[in-house]
Amino acid sequence: MAESAPKSDLPNITRENSRSKTVSTPTHGTGEDEIAWTRGYSDDYWNDPVTPLFFELLGDQLTEIVNIELNQIMGYFTPGSQKTDKLLELHHSHAYFNLEVLKRKVEYEIPTFLRNDDILNYFPDGDGRYGKETMKRLPFQLGKRLIAELRVMLLDPSGSITKTAKAYKKWTDRVFLPFWNKFNLQMTEVAENGAPIDHLKLADEVDHLMADHFRLVRYGIPVHNIGMNLLTQYLLNRFIGQEKASQVYPIMISGLKHRTSETNERINHLAAQIRSLPKLRSLVLEEPSESLYPILSSKDDPEIRGFLDQFNSFIREFGVRGFSRDVYYPRWYEEPRYVFDVLRSLVKDQLKDLSVIEKENQRRREEVERQVEEEIKSKPFGLLKWKILKTILEFARTYIVFREDQRFNLDCWITMNRRIYLEIGKGLKNSGFIQDPSDIFFLTRNDIGKLVRNEYSTEETANLHQLIMDRRSEFQKYENTTPAKFIQGSREFEDPVRTEFKTFKGIPASQGILKAPVRVLNSIESISEVCAGEILVVPRTDPGWTPVFSKIGGLITETGGILSHGAVVSREYGIPAVTNIQNACQIFKTGQVVRIDGSKGLVIPNDAEFRHVKPVYA
């Protein structure tokens, strides 16, 4: 833990490479039948830069449990096929998903009438094997889908939409949290009494623990979360028309409480405390963020000590969070400067009253829901239609909350792995095998296991040093970039930029229309520069970015869809958001004034003509 970090109750490791199937470098071929890969799906669920080690840690779970094991249960694919077993590819330090697997998912799980722009965004424009137009026309395998549902009921009943969320909460309370709460003790015991190989065994135990997380998440996110939200949009389109539906749907799934919203509320409470204390406010605005924790710790002022108690309480509960999910990056408890960067941004401008925002969002959601209910009930069979929609809508809301809550457990898992592998890295550095403990993140688990068991020759160890340097160099090169959306063989390609009369078209993610200057951020390091009312333009968002959403006026992202973290949190704060604007961080410049229409997914530079339709429901 860094010297400046507050004390934490957080847990402190290696593991045998028993089952790694993912790879850490691209293996593209050139044949016409070569698998194509998409970053589009990653944009919603794994949009961070990725180190080779974490590509295995998360990738193996997704490949084996979410893909292969689930497909066996549902009876979709025959295991052993390269085209369907290999779920992931690591390219330019970003995760890409197998388009053949996603194509099969569309064919077996998503009826043609539900294939909207958000789903089709995973695929390239045009026809061809994986084109959007092909996906629209792809016949839905209803028989296989019905058989799959029966197989899930018999073989994995927790996969039922009525059971998954409850089963996950039960697992969290009875299995995950008890393990998490004793992890500190386990780390201490291994450090005092064990050998590096015992750290590997603890890592295997953590890996095994998380398997049940993914056995529930495989239904909760790709099936229930996506499925119920697609169905909600479809029913709204059918019952009230597409134009009205596009406006009311984001409102009807807003105002939800989850661990991400709770994190942001607590940070805003800390910011309000700072603003109320002039001496503390001056320190936060004037001192470097990396120095603030030790400076505040040295003060005897009762008000500052009181704030520090609240800050430490926040770190104990939420310190596992970070601005990225990769284990390479420090968590908040290690580097509280990242929290102070956010606090500095919130303190320097007038804060919005979150309780007022929350009440207004709730009022607006209830009013829109009432109006939609009245309109639907006025139609033939309206009462039945409303009851169906209301039931589906509640499932959609449930699994949006599920998605945000499971991410907090994932952050705890990331923290455990980071601590374990850094401990191994320290031991390998002391033994002269690697030059820095963080080099561990640029090795595979097989490499780490061999190093721990001292199975590499001097020449092989020297080769590993070069490999680490090469991998780290590539990671740093692409760390804050958004690489090509699609790859096939050695070819990279993109969808064409969607513009018309200088209007940029993305995915509408949160309703609202705003004209304001933009603030382009390629890195979390600059988050303290964000000013109130600006439209934030970023490559991607993560829960660690979202506390500043309480002060921005709008959001534009290069990646993601209507269910991405940025979209979800934008709706909670009632700010317009447009996602999936290709190269947005290069197109727009800080200070440039644009208009953003979150209902239609449009971004219009100020010198362009701006047309919009008045919202149907005020």
Side-chain angles (χ1 to χ4, degrees), residues 15-31:
R15 125 164 74 199
E16 302 289 344
N17 180 28
S18 58
R19 56 178 187 80
S20 174
K21 288 191 174 75
T22 54
V23 295
S24 58
T25 54
T27 56
H28 313 317
T30 57

Side-chain angles (χ1 to χ4, degrees), residues 21-60:
K21 288 191 174 75
T22 54
V23 295
S24 58
T25 54
T27 56
H28 313 317
T30 57
E32 290 185 3
D33 294 331
E34 186 70 25
I35 299 170
W37 306 85
T38 178
R39 203 202 66 242
Y41 191 79
S42 310
D43 288 350
D44 276 341
Y45 303 104
W46 194 1
N47 61 5
D48 319 79
V50 187
T51 58
L53 178 59
F54 193 63
F55 186 68
E56 288 190 321
L57 291 173
L58 181 55
D60 282 358

Side-chain angles (χ1 to χ4, degrees), residues 183-286:
F183 185 71
N184 268 330
L185 179 60
Q186 288 181 288
M187 285 294 293
T188 300
E189 290 176 349
V190 171
E192 291 178 350
N193 307 313
I197 198 70
D198 295 311
H199 283 129
L200 284 174
K201 291 176 181 177
L202 179 57
D204 274 335
E205 192 177 348
V206 170
D207 205 40
H208 179 73
L209 164 80
M210 211 59 178
D212 285 336
H213 161 95
F214 289 102
R215 288 192 172 101
L216 292 167
V217 165
R218 68 189 178 191
Y219 299 108
I221 294 180
V223 180
H224 306 331
N225 184 36
I226 292 178
M228 290 301 99
N229 278 279
L230 286 175
L231 190 53
T232 299
Q233 294 175 73
Y234 169 77
L235 292 175
L236 284 169
N237 288 341
R238 288 292 302 269
F239 296 162
I240 64 175
Q242 187 171 358
E243 184 177 322
K244 291 180 182 179
S246 68
Q247 293 184 30
V248 303
Y249 166 69
I251 298 172
M252 295 177 78
I253 57 170
S254 67
L256 306 176
K257 290 289 188 180
H258 40 69
R259 292 294 266 173
T260 302
S261 63
E262 186 181 351
T263 307
N264 296 344
E265 287 171 6
R266 290 282 295 277
I267 285 186
N268 272 267
H269 176 71
L270 290 173
Q273 272 189 287
I274 295 170
R275 288 184 63 85
S276 69
L277 303 172
K279 285 186 289 187
L280 180 58
R281 184 176 186 274
S282 295
L283 285 170
V284 169
L285 292 178
E286 295 169 6

